[in-house]
Amino acid sequence: MNRVEGHVKVTGLATYAAEYPIEGVVYAYPVQSLIARGRVARVDASDALAMPGVLAVLSVADPPELAEDADAELALFQRREVAYRGQLVAAAVAGTYDEARAAADAVRVEYEPADHDVSLRADHPGLYRPEVVNPNLPADTGQGDVEAGLAEAVTTVDVTYTTPVLHNNAMEPHASLALWDAEGRLLVYDSTQGATTDRDMIAKTLGLPPGRVRVVSRHVGGGFGSKGTTRPQAVLAALAARAVGRPVKVALTRQQMFDVTGYRTPTIQRLRLGADGEGRLTALEHVALSQSSTLKEFAEQTATPTRVMYAAPALRTAHRLVRLDVATPSWMRAPGDCPGMYALESAMDELACAAGIDPIELRVRNEPEVDPDTGLPFSSRNLVACLREGARRFGWDRRDPRPGVRREGEWLVGTGVAASTYPAKRRPCKAVARVLDGGFLVQVAAADIGTGARTALTRIAAETLGVAPDRVHVEIGDSDLPDAPVAGGSMGTASWGSAVVRACEELKKDGREGRADTTEEIRQDSRLTRQAFGAQFAEVRVSSVTGEVRVPRLLGVFAAGRIVDAKLARSQLIGGMTMGLGMALMEETLTDEEFGGFLRRDLAQYHVPVCADVPDVEAVWLEEHDERLNPMGAKGIGEIGIVGTAAAIGNAVHHATGHRVRELPITPPKILMARF
Ligand code: MOS
């Protein structure tokens, strides 16, 4: 299907959070901490308040009233302590955006700085084992004896990979527009991945019952996780609007987004693998280090994909975390699984090379019968089929396994493969369907963050009702609609779709209206491991002169249950793969060790792939029938596309050059270090 809102989007009529024309709106602009740790000693707002159009200055000098148990990243201006450089310490409110910005510049903040530490290191004394890692998984797992498995192995690999800080960089910057009515009800137009959860979090932060808050978010220009939780600009808009008695808009700049809208934690990951003479794993160990802030614990689940991937008699995963003077890391597309699979799938390639076994064959030989971690059966697992189909399409059988032997002029040429996986879950959701004007209206507080969710739900509803899609109108993006979980964790379509199917089934029985709540249905789901799988293939050309890496060809083959709509799915998957290419070769936010915060804060310095970087990205999928997921039989596809891509490219770079870069991104200097 074409996107149902495609026309309003391309004609500029789709309204994003910052664009609602509201009578009497004024603007708030943040003041950010210039130190990474310490205290705000004094705030002098007198100059700012004397400037034209200025209505108020909010700051830690006069903490606005907020709930005592507010999330530490959202508890604006409550404490004088500074936890990271770029944290909001004040804000100016004025009649225009430019007046607010000028006034924010004129707010004088004096600090009592303290020494800071913003660097994740493998030998950091503050590393500890968190109780659990996201979303609520054991930090460590283990079975068998890893040391014994390594001792008996014929081939071993002991390698450490690092991934840098990455930023989500959605196209639409975070923005919020807040209005209080005379009865003390708050309306927020917000750029969010979930109106229901955003409403609840804003209400909790302000100490309001959820019924007093409404979030409207009809169109969202991407999020990749950064809009999966409420961000400070929404709270700032609400506080400023309350303070000045006018509607207030806060539109973050790209630079501000780097500081306060989350990022992917850097990782240091050590992999130890042992294999017998046939390439069967005797031991597999994955230890992942990552960071969080002093404000709260965010423990990324980096090593969790290793728990489900391969059969090994000794299998250990562990996570360690250190709290630094940094902003709290957050969700970024396939959080954990993406950097974790980069390391695991790079290490599997190193093992294949060391053992002299084809990397596809190595993976096939280590295919588990059941989930190696829990012993549960997989609802469906078609990794081998993806690898085989990808090999056929990619022409893998013509590959010479020797690294560093194909040269075309200055260019070294190579190919690589990696496996991909991502959990396929769903969360409770409500929906309503009713007959309306000869058609059907379906309501659910889902979010379309550019994925095509509105369109997919239209198709799901139409198929359930047995009518043409143009007779179905799906309304989403408003917390006044039936409660729904976020667009996140590749669970959107599965969660909202389940509720839409049930509501439409009820409508068919009732003739007029159907309501659904999938809480009970999901509680009764059988205990199974539900994962999507895929295989990523990359061809690279590496310049021996400049060290640049070109990717003329990427192929992803996925097994993700039933694909609801081919056009939407292809767009999601090639988007994920393109983001994976960025992770492999370009994306990196440098931390400023001297002053704290980040050194790269815009898209001139934080490079993402453009069309010229991805001449040929192909995503295909296998027919997969899995009845034990949800009524659609669909697994999520928002995140699996990015998983494994960076490993496939890194493995291809090794195949091209014979040189293994273990620190992402694979930039020209790291290639040139190898000296061809
Ligand atoms: Mo996705 S990072 O779970 O929004």
mmCIF file of all heavy atoms in Angstrom, residues 19 33-34 42 45 55 133 153 160 170 185 254 256-257 267 274 306 322 354 392 419 445 481 511 534 536 549 598 647:
data_model
loop_
_atom_site.group_PDB
_atom_site.id
_atom_site.type_symbol
_atom_site.label_atom_id
_atom_site.label_comp_id
_atom_site.label_asym_id
_atom_site.label_seq_id
_atom_site.Cartn_x
_atom_site.Cartn_y
_atom_site.Cartn_z
ATOM 1 N N GLU A 19 4.424 22.731 14.704
ATOM 2 C CA GLU A 19 3.791 23.464 13.608
ATOM 3 C C GLU A 19 2.328 23.838 13.841
ATOM 4 O O GLU A 19 1.722 24.470 12.984
ATOM 5 C CB GLU A 19 3.878 22.625 12.322
ATOM 6 C CG GLU A 19 5.307 22.337 11.930
ATOM 7 C CD GLU A 19 5.400 21.477 10.685
ATOM 8 O OE1 GLU A 19 4.531 20.602 10.475
ATOM 9 O OE2 GLU A 19 6.360 21.677 9.917
ATOM 10 N N SER A 33 24.102 23.651 30.952
ATOM 11 C CA SER A 33 25.285 23.688 31.814
ATOM 12 C C SER A 33 26.571 23.683 30.994
ATOM 13 O O SER A 33 26.699 22.942 30.024
ATOM 14 C CB SER A 33 25.288 22.480 32.748
ATOM 15 O OG SER A 33 26.553 22.373 33.363
ATOM 16 N N LEU A 34 27.522 24.501 31.436
ATOM 17 C CA LEU A 34 28.828 24.537 30.779
ATOM 18 C C LEU A 34 29.845 23.677 31.509
ATOM 19 O O LEU A 34 30.987 23.578 31.080
ATOM 20 C CB LEU A 34 29.333 25.984 30.693
ATOM 21 C CG LEU A 34 28.478 26.895 29.814
ATOM 22 C CD1 LEU A 34 29.011 28.327 29.862
ATOM 23 C CD2 LEU A 34 28.439 26.387 28.377
ATOM 24 N N ARG A 42 25.140 30.450 41.299
ATOM 25 C CA ARG A 42 24.317 31.647 41.222
ATOM 26 C C ARG A 42 23.741 31.777 39.821
ATOM 27 O O ARG A 42 24.418 31.468 38.835
ATOM 28 C CB ARG A 42 25.196 32.873 41.515
ATOM 29 C CG ARG A 42 24.484 34.025 42.215
ATOM 30 C CD ARG A 42 25.520 35.018 42.746
ATOM 31 N NE ARG A 42 26.099 35.801 41.651
ATOM 32 C CZ ARG A 42 25.606 36.964 41.230
ATOM 33 N NH1 ARG A 42 24.527 37.471 41.797
ATOM 34 N NH2 ARG A 42 26.193 37.625 40.256
ATOM 35 N N ALA A 45 19.511 36.569 36.359
ATOM 36 C CA ALA A 45 18.633 36.705 35.200
ATOM 37 C C ALA A 45 18.244 38.159 34.948
ATOM 38 O O ALA A 45 17.403 38.440 34.093
ATOM 39 C CB ALA A 45 17.383 35.851 35.402
ATOM 40 N N LEU A 55 9.415 37.235 29.104
ATOM 41 C CA LEU A 55 8.321 37.056 30.047
ATOM 42 C C LEU A 55 8.765 36.426 31.351
ATOM 43 O O LEU A 55 8.199 36.702 32.403
ATOM 44 C CB LEU A 55 7.237 36.169 29.408
ATOM 45 C CG LEU A 55 6.626 36.729 28.124
ATOM 46 C CD1 LEU A 55 5.833 35.647 27.396
ATOM 47 C CD2 LEU A 55 5.729 37.914 28.443
ATOM 48 N N VAL A 133 19.565 -5.965 33.241
ATOM 49 C CA VAL A 133 19.762 -5.100 32.081
ATOM 50 C C VAL A 133 18.419 -4.951 31.378
ATOM 51 O O VAL A 133 17.482 -5.714 31.614
ATOM 52 C CB VAL A 133 20.836 -5.658 31.116
ATOM 53 C CG1 VAL A 133 22.200 -5.662 31.784
ATOM 54 C CG2 VAL A 133 20.473 -7.055 30.608
ATOM 55 N N ALA A 153 39.374 -26.593 23.044
ATOM 56 C CA ALA A 153 39.081 -26.163 21.674
ATOM 57 C C ALA A 153 40.298 -26.343 20.759
ATOM 58 O O ALA A 153 41.440 -26.232 21.192
ATOM 59 C CB ALA A 153 38.666 -24.697 21.674
ATOM 60 N N THR A 160 38.470 -8.111 21.345
ATOM 61 C CA THR A 160 37.702 -7.030 21.955
ATOM 62 C C THR A 160 37.304 -6.030 20.873
ATOM 63 O O THR A 160 38.134 -5.614 20.063
ATOM 64 C CB THR A 160 38.524 -6.325 23.047
ATOM 65 O OG1 THR A 160 38.819 -7.278 24.072
ATOM 66 C CG2 THR A 160 37.748 -5.157 23.647
ATOM 67 N N ALA A 170 16.997 11.714 14.543
ATOM 68 C CA ALA A 170 15.773 11.703 13.743
ATOM 69 C C ALA A 170 15.695 12.986 12.912
ATOM 70 O O ALA A 170 16.245 14.019 13.292
ATOM 71 C CB ALA A 170 14.558 11.611 14.661
ATOM 72 N N ARG A 185 -6.194 21.699 32.880
ATOM 73 C CA ARG A 185 -5.850 20.551 32.034
ATOM 74 C C ARG A 185 -4.747 20.957 31.080
ATOM 75 O O ARG A 185 -4.738 22.068 30.554
ATOM 76 C CB ARG A 185 -7.082 20.083 31.236
ATOM 77 C CG ARG A 185 -7.993 19.140 31.996
ATOM 78 C CD ARG A 185 -9.121 18.653 31.074
ATOM 79 N NE ARG A 185 -8.570 18.155 29.811
ATOM 80 C CZ ARG A 185 -8.644 16.881 29.429
ATOM 81 N NH1 ARG A 185 -9.236 15.991 30.182
ATOM 82 N NH2 ARG A 185 -8.146 16.513 28.273
ATOM 83 N N ARG A 254 19.301 21.004 16.617
ATOM 84 C CA ARG A 254 20.040 19.752 16.424
ATOM 85 C C ARG A 254 21.135 19.618 17.489
ATOM 86 O O ARG A 254 21.337 18.556 18.056
ATOM 87 C CB ARG A 254 20.635 19.752 15.006
ATOM 88 C CG ARG A 254 21.430 18.539 14.618
ATOM 89 C CD ARG A 254 20.600 17.270 14.488
ATOM 90 N NE ARG A 254 19.493 17.377 13.573
ATOM 91 C CZ ARG A 254 18.604 16.389 13.343
ATOM 92 N NH1 ARG A 254 18.730 15.231 13.954
ATOM 93 N NH2 ARG A 254 17.587 16.567 12.514
ATOM 94 N N GLN A 256 21.230 20.868 20.516
ATOM 95 C CA GLN A 256 20.645 20.550 21.821
ATOM 96 C C GLN A 256 20.206 19.089 21.894
ATOM 97 O O GLN A 256 20.293 18.454 22.948
ATOM 98 C CB GLN A 256 19.458 21.477 22.108
ATOM 99 C CG GLN A 256 19.882 22.924 22.367
ATOM 100 C CD GLN A 256 18.727 23.903 22.250
ATOM 101 O OE1 GLN A 256 17.648 23.573 21.744
ATOM 102 N NE2 GLN A 256 18.950 25.125 22.695
ATOM 103 N N MET A 257 19.760 18.564 20.765
ATOM 104 C CA MET A 257 19.346 17.157 20.741
ATOM 105 C C MET A 257 20.493 16.235 21.150
ATOM 106 O O MET A 257 20.274 15.210 21.803
ATOM 107 C CB MET A 257 18.880 16.761 19.346
ATOM 108 C CG MET A 257 17.527 17.302 18.968
ATOM 109 S SD MET A 257 17.228 17.125 17.198
ATOM 110 C CE MET A 257 17.223 15.340 17.000
ATOM 111 N N THR A 267 30.290 0.977 23.792
ATOM 112 C CA THR A 267 30.513 -0.349 24.380
ATOM 113 C C THR A 267 31.956 -0.773 24.192
ATOM 114 O O THR A 267 32.628 -0.351 23.242
ATOM 115 C CB THR A 267 29.626 -1.447 23.743
ATOM 116 O OG1 THR A 267 30.053 -1.692 22.394
ATOM 117 C CG2 THR A 267 28.160 -1.065 23.760
ATOM 118 N N GLY A 274 35.630 -20.717 21.426
ATOM 119 C CA GLY A 274 36.439 -21.901 21.156
ATOM 120 C C GLY A 274 35.630 -22.846 20.284
ATOM 121 O O GLY A 274 34.408 -22.930 20.434
ATOM 122 N N THR A 306 23.494 -12.853 22.134
ATOM 123 C CA THR A 306 24.388 -14.015 22.180
ATOM 124 C C THR A 306 23.742 -15.182 22.922
ATOM 125 O O THR A 306 24.093 -16.336 22.719
ATOM 126 C CB THR A 306 25.723 -13.592 22.837
ATOM 127 O OG1 THR A 306 26.313 -12.595 22.008
ATOM 128 C CG2 THR A 306 26.683 -14.751 22.999
ATOM 129 N N VAL A 322 29.326 1.408 34.194
ATOM 130 C CA VAL A 322 29.973 2.419 35.028
ATOM 131 C C VAL A 322 29.184 3.715 34.912
ATOM 132 O O VAL A 322 28.700 4.069 33.838
ATOM 133 C CB VAL A 322 31.466 2.598 34.646
ATOM 134 C CG1 VAL A 322 31.637 3.040 33.204
ATOM 135 C CG2 VAL A 322 32.157 3.585 35.586
ATOM 136 N N ALA A 354 39.894 -18.323 11.290
ATOM 137 C CA ALA A 354 40.930 -19.060 12.029
ATOM 138 C C ALA A 354 40.791 -20.563 11.833
ATOM 139 O O ALA A 354 41.784 -21.291 11.786
ATOM 140 C CB ALA A 354 40.848 -18.703 13.516
ATOM 141 N N ARG A 392 22.638 -17.739 -2.076
ATOM 142 C CA ARG A 392 22.226 -17.981 -3.458
ATOM 143 C C ARG A 392 22.072 -16.657 -4.226
ATOM 144 O O ARG A 392 22.619 -16.482 -5.310
ATOM 145 C CB ARG A 392 20.895 -18.746 -3.462
ATOM 146 C CG ARG A 392 20.454 -19.254 -4.813
ATOM 147 C CD ARG A 392 19.076 -19.913 -4.736
ATOM 148 N NE ARG A 392 17.997 -18.954 -4.495
ATOM 149 C CZ ARG A 392 17.512 -18.109 -5.407
ATOM 150 N NH1 ARG A 392 18.007 -18.088 -6.624
ATOM 151 N NH2 ARG A 392 16.538 -17.271 -5.084
ATOM 152 N N ALA A 419 24.935 -12.734 10.665
ATOM 153 C CA ALA A 419 23.559 -13.068 11.010
ATOM 154 C C ALA A 419 22.913 -11.910 11.753
ATOM 155 O O ALA A 419 23.582 -10.997 12.234
ATOM 156 C CB ALA A 419 23.517 -14.332 11.870
ATOM 157 N N ALA A 445 -4.211 4.567 20.204
ATOM 158 C CA ALA A 445 -3.218 5.633 20.413
ATOM 159 C C ALA A 445 -1.825 5.204 19.940
ATOM 160 O O ALA A 445 -0.824 5.425 20.613
ATOM 161 C CB ALA A 445 -3.182 6.045 21.887
ATOM 162 N N LEU A 481 -7.261 8.627 22.590
ATOM 163 C CA LEU A 481 -7.670 7.377 21.949
ATOM 164 C C LEU A 481 -7.324 6.213 22.887
ATOM 165 O O LEU A 481 -6.599 6.394 23.860
ATOM 166 C CB LEU A 481 -6.938 7.227 20.608
ATOM 167 C CG LEU A 481 -7.207 8.359 19.599
ATOM 168 C CD1 LEU A 481 -6.287 8.220 18.392
ATOM 169 C CD2 LEU A 481 -8.666 8.352 19.167
ATOM 170 N N GLY A 511 -21.940 -5.615 14.887
ATOM 171 C CA GLY A 511 -22.573 -4.891 13.793
ATOM 172 C C GLY A 511 -22.361 -3.395 13.851
ATOM 173 O O GLY A 511 -22.518 -2.708 12.844
ATOM 174 N N GLY A 534 17.726 -13.026 10.425
ATOM 175 C CA GLY A 534 18.087 -12.542 9.098
ATOM 176 C C GLY A 534 19.544 -12.812 8.797
ATOM 177 O O GLY A 534 20.311 -13.241 9.677
ATOM 178 N N GLN A 536 22.769 -10.917 6.628
ATOM 179 C CA GLN A 536 23.202 -9.691 5.942
ATOM 180 C C GLN A 536 24.452 -9.996 5.117
ATOM 181 O O GLN A 536 25.386 -10.624 5.614
ATOM 182 C CB GLN A 536 23.555 -8.619 6.979
ATOM 183 C CG GLN A 536 22.443 -8.299 7.958
ATOM 184 C CD GLN A 536 21.724 -7.010 7.646
ATOM 185 O OE1 GLN A 536 21.930 -6.409 6.585
ATOM 186 N NE2 GLN A 536 20.879 -6.563 8.544
ATOM 187 N N VAL A 549 36.029 3.401 2.449
ATOM 188 C CA VAL A 549 35.319 2.150 2.193
ATOM 189 C C VAL A 549 34.027 2.476 1.458
ATOM 190 O O VAL A 549 33.234 3.287 1.933
ATOM 191 C CB VAL A 549 34.998 1.400 3.500
ATOM 192 C CG1 VAL A 549 34.215 0.125 3.215
ATOM 193 C CG2 VAL A 549 36.274 1.092 4.275
ATOM 194 N N PHE A 598 29.709 16.462 24.354
ATOM 195 C CA PHE A 598 30.110 15.872 23.084
ATOM 196 C C PHE A 598 30.745 16.905 22.166
ATOM 197 O O PHE A 598 30.377 18.077 22.170
ATOM 198 C CB PHE A 598 28.898 15.242 22.396
ATOM 199 C CG PHE A 598 28.280 14.139 23.198
ATOM 200 C CD1 PHE A 598 26.963 14.236 23.629
ATOM 201 C CD2 PHE A 598 29.011 13.012 23.543
ATOM 202 C CE1 PHE A 598 26.387 13.219 24.383
ATOM 203 C CE2 PHE A 598 28.449 11.992 24.298
ATOM 204 C CZ PHE A 598 27.131 12.097 24.715
ATOM 205 N N ALA A 647 28.507 -5.699 11.149
ATOM 206 C CA ALA A 647 29.411 -6.859 11.154
ATOM 207 C C ALA A 647 29.662 -7.344 9.732
ATOM 208 O O ALA A 647 30.799 -7.667 9.365
ATOM 209 C CB ALA A 647 28.826 -7.971 12.011
#
